[in-house]
Amino acid sequence: MKKFFRVFGVLICLGLVAALGYNGLKNTARTEKTEFLFDTVCTITVFERNCEKIVTEAFDEAAQIFDEANFFDDESDVSRINNAEAGERVAVSENIIEMLDMAKMVNEKSKGAFDITIAPVSMLWKFDEESPVPPTEDEILAELWKVGRDKLHLDKEQMTVLKEFSETRIDLGGIAKGYAADKAVECLKSRGVESGIVDFGGNIVAFGENPASKNHKWRIGIQKPFSPTGEYASVVEIDGGAVVTSGIYQRFFDYQGRRYHHIIDPENGMPAAQEFESVSVVGEGSALMDCIATAVYVLGKTHGEALAREFGVEVLFCP
Ligand code: AMP
Ligand code: MG
């Protein structure tokens, strides 16, 4: 991936249409569909005509993953884990097992920075309320003991999950979109699609050859944080693969002159304090890049770059 990775200067473009534009694809034959999933805009574009049925099937796969990972639906696999008692074996889908397994690996590599058991703390931060107030230190401390990936046990063969404490809860917000984007691409490829772009709210996967560029590469725009016009801060050129961004501009609120965002440092239960506003990770597999991007945001530049090096992926901080 490294040798194909190049960062371009500032470009001002708007949305996926623009992304297709600077890929030279504006007039290229394609099938495109947008749906609202994972609380965000998700677009699948394939560079063939009349692929509506295949694109719908790819969205069905993504919607299935959304349902299984939905924290707010009592019937979802995630809720069944969250509502289980200590020691109870909860049978879950293959998708959930794969996500939990990957999350565990990144948790270990990132020394706890990426931790899906952050849920009891992340739920204290009410980003969806009209006038949110940050939780108090005592409120955070009352939840923080429940966080810790080692309190969750997977049985991959039996496809079950077991918690050491009933109070442990998981939140797949840092991995599920990326995982779903990978599964959508798998679905498209298995049905014979040769090239396309899947964009699930900042989790972008390009595959095959760009039909409109001489070198067949893809150019992916990195959104400028907090830009009202959807301006891009930079553009990366890749052969194919995933470009995933974690940014504090995606979910945040301001309270008494301070900004609080949704990427939580499991060490103290507070939004990770960094000098940058987003980080993008470029590599193979958007589920893995999704985990790494969140982890790098928590770790900060020095330790985040070290983690990225360990995985052999590129990182880009913004601004
Ligand atoms: P992302 O946008 O991929 O960086 O994911 C952020 C989302 O992941 C948040 O909205 C939370 O649902 C969840 N999250 C927050 N902090 C963490 C963390 N330290 N580790 C794993 N997931 C997290
Ligand atoms: Mg993530």
Side-chain angles (χ1 to χ4, degrees):
M1 171 65 59
K2 200 166 199 155
K3 65 181 187 242
F4 300 118
F5 176 86
R6 264 168 64 199
V7 182
F8 291 81
V10 176
L11 277 194
I12 298 174
C13 306
L14 285 165
L16 188 81
V17 175
L20 297 177
Y22 64 73
N23 270 304
L25 292 163
K26 236 179 206 158
N27 302 315
T28 306
R30 64 176 183 262
T31 307
E32 189 175 305
K33 193 173 179 205
T34 295
E35 287 195 9
F36 196 78
L37 268 181
F38 299 100
D39 231 3
T40 189
V41 177
C42 298
T43 302
I44 297 178
T45 310
V46 303
F47 296 101
E48 275 169 63
R49 286 198 182 92
N50 306 322
C51 289
E52 285 78 10
K53 190 165 172 282
I54 296 173
V55 169
T56 300
E57 280 170 9
F59 266 120
D60 289 347
E61 291 250 351
Q64 170 77 22
I65 293 158
F66 172 74
D67 288 344
E68 290 168 7
N70 191 348
F71 188 92
F72 299 101
D73 173 3
D74 274 349
E75 310 278 296
S76 74
D77 290 42
V78 160
S79 292
R80 287 191 298 100
I81 295 170
N82 287 345
N83 298 332
E85 297 298 327
E88 194 182 321
R89 285 186 193 282
V90 182
V92 294
S93 72
E94 202 175 332
N95 290 327
I96 296 290
I97 289 288
E98 280 182 10
M99 282 189 266
L100 295 190
D101 195 35
M102 183 177 284
K104 179 174 187 251
M105 184 268 288
V106 179
N107 173 265
E108 283 160 5
K109 294 254 189 214
S110 68
K111 301 194 170 55
F114 185 80
D115 194 334
I116 56 168
T117 67
I118 194 71
V121 175
S122 62
M123 291 307 141
L124 289 174
W125 295 90
K126 313 275 185 201
F127 298 102
D128 300 322
E129 278 185 4
E130 205 146 295
S131 310
V133 172
T136 63
E137 224 178 296
D138 285 349
E139 284 170 331
I140 293 174
L141 281 177
E143 299 299 317
L144 210 49
W145 70 270
K146 301 172 186 171
V147 177
R149 179 58 192 75
D150 54 337
K151 293 166 187 144
L152 202 65
H153 302 282
L154 297 190
D155 184 334
K156 286 199 268 177
E157 300 244 303
Q158 298 297 318
M159 301 220 296
T160 58
V161 181
L162 177 148
K163 302 188 297 187
E164 271 180 36
F165 299 99
S166 306
E167 291 85 352
T168 296
R169 302 266 184 283
I170 62 166
D171 164 4
L172 298 183
I175 177 173
K177 276 197 306 257
Y179 182 84
D182 281 341
K183 288 288 166 182
V185 169
E186 257 177 45
C187 174
L188 297 170
K189 284 182 174 172
S190 73
R191 281 147 182 81
V193 174
E194 286 181 355
S195 78
I197 301 180
V198 170
D199 179 353
F200 286 1
N203 291 251
I204 299 173
V205 189
F207 66 97
E209 295 184 343
N210 178 344
S213 100
K214 275 197 188 122
N215 64 6
H216 306 303
K217 294 181 193 295
W218 303 95
R219 303 180 81 194
I220 309 292
I222 307 286
Q223 199 180 324
K224 192 171 180 176
F226 302 108
S227 164
T229 53
E231 209 175 324
Y232 290 137
S234 54
V235 176
V236 294
E237 189 178 69
I238 55 170
D239 238 19
V243 180
V244 176
T245 300
S246 271
I248 64 170
Y249 58 93
Q250 289 149 342
R251 293 184 86 206
F252 68 93
F253 64 81
D254 293 323
Y255 181 77
Q256 295 186 344
R258 260 194 79 180
R259 181 150 290 176
Y260 298 93
H261 64 81
H262 69 139
I263 304 173
I264 308 295
D265 185 342
E267 287 233 323
N268 57 17
M270 293 293 291
Q274 306 301 355
E275 70 278 24
F276 51 91
E277 290 171 336
S278 80
V279 59
S280 300
V281 181
V282 186
E284 284 305 323
S286 77
L288 181 60
M289 297 311 115
D290 198 353
C291 299
I292 296 174
T294 307
V296 170
Y297 200 94
V298 172
L299 290 169
K301 274 192 178 161
T302 308
H303 293 109
E305 272 171 343
L307 181 75
R309 264 197 308 279
E310 225 184 309
F311 278 102
V313 301
E314 302 286 341
V315 274
L316 212 88
F317 297 96
C318 205

